[in-house]
Amino acid sequence: IIKIKTQIINETDSEQSFRVEQRIFNFKNDSTEIRIAESLKAKAHETLIINEEVTINHPKLWSPTNPFLYRLETSIVQNSEVVDQISQQFGIRKVELTNNGLFLNGKKLFLNGTNRHQEYPYVGYALSDEAQQRDAVEIKNAGFDMVRLSHYPHSEAFMDACDALGIVTMNSIP
């Protein structure tokens, strides 16, 4: 069961009518599930929270050796026109920590890991998305399948690359 929480803010000075369309795609870009909300209304400057649950039967599970990802596309539609859209990737997995060890999708898992800190003097957070992705590729190519991140927010590009490459991340910033 995928739980989807969508926040919609009407930033205009008048009431707006719209609908929310949510599609889940697999790696082939085949739509596996579509949810279309009925017509909704938001008063001027109102914030709406919409909670949805979608069941994916027989999902393909994410793991470091098979980093299968889905993509959720959420669209706000007004008068048959998409006025806002966001796309987010996600993996489905079952994680258990027991007295017998760490289990992922029912199988015992041993992780080889490393740490990551900002290591680009004078550039810091201005590092390009391509350089962020390159860092993730270098971590995976070095034989690691886990990375502990330092105590500041890491870029979405790095986090997305880790998901796509099968790198488990330990993020100290929620």
Side-chain angles (χ1 to χ4, degrees):
I1 296 174
I2 308 301
K3 294 183 179 185
I4 305 168
K5 183 177 182 178
T6 307
Q7 177 179 322
I8 301 164
I9 303 171
N10 178 2
E11 296 178 334
T12 70
D13 293 328
S14 62
E15 183 176 84
Q16 299 291 316
S17 296
F18 58 90
R19 72 178 191 276
V20 178
E21 294 181 0
Q22 294 175 314
R23 290 180 169 81
I24 295 177
F25 297 89
N26 63 22
F27 75 101
K28 295 178 185 174
N29 270 340
D30 296 330
S31 182
T32 60
E33 183 72 34
I34 300 173
R35 288 274 196 248
I36 299 176
E38 297 177 21
S39 292
L40 300 169
K41 290 186 179 190
K43 297 176 186 164
H45 303 285
E46 180 180 19
T47 299
L48 299 177
I49 303 292
I50 299 170
N51 292 297
E52 294 274 355
E53 285 190 3
V54 176
T55 301
I56 297 180
N57 295 313
H58 312 292
K60 225 173 157 180
L61 301 178
W62 183 97
S63 72
T65 56
N66 185 29
F68 187 88
L69 295 174
Y70 291 89
R71 182 172 52 90
L72 169 66
E73 185 178 275
T74 301
S75 304
I76 306 298
V77 180
Q78 273 186 308
N79 303 320
S80 301
E81 181 181 336
V82 174
V83 295
D84 199 5
Q85 187 174 68
I86 188 168
S87 183
Q88 298 168 292
Q89 68 182 17
F90 66 94
I92 299 173
R93 54 199 161 248
K94 180 181 179 184
V95 180
E96 298 173 283
L97 185 57
T98 72
N99 290 338
N100 294 324
L102 175 66
F103 290 80
L104 182 67
N105 304 326
K107 296 178 183 172
K108 193 166 186 172
L109 180 65
F110 180 81
L111 295 170
N112 292 305
T114 188
N115 297 311
R116 181 178 191 246
H117 292 271
Q118 283 182 356
E119 59 184 358
Y120 299 95
Y122 311 110
V123 177
Y125 288 123
L127 196 61
S128 70
D129 287 352
E130 291 78 14
Q132 299 281 358
Q133 293 163 355
R134 182 193 64 226
D135 278 3
V137 168
E138 288 180 359
I139 288 169
K140 189 68 173 187
N141 288 344
F144 298 113
D145 48 22
M146 192 264 181
V147 60
R148 184 187 67 83
L149 303 176
S150 53
H151 50 273
Y152 48 81
H154 287 256
S155 80
E156 287 184 31
F158 179 77
M159 301 298 279
D160 288 346
C162 287
D163 287 342
L165 293 168
I167 301 172
V168 175
T169 57
M170 182 186 293
N171 192 358
S172 59
I173 302 290

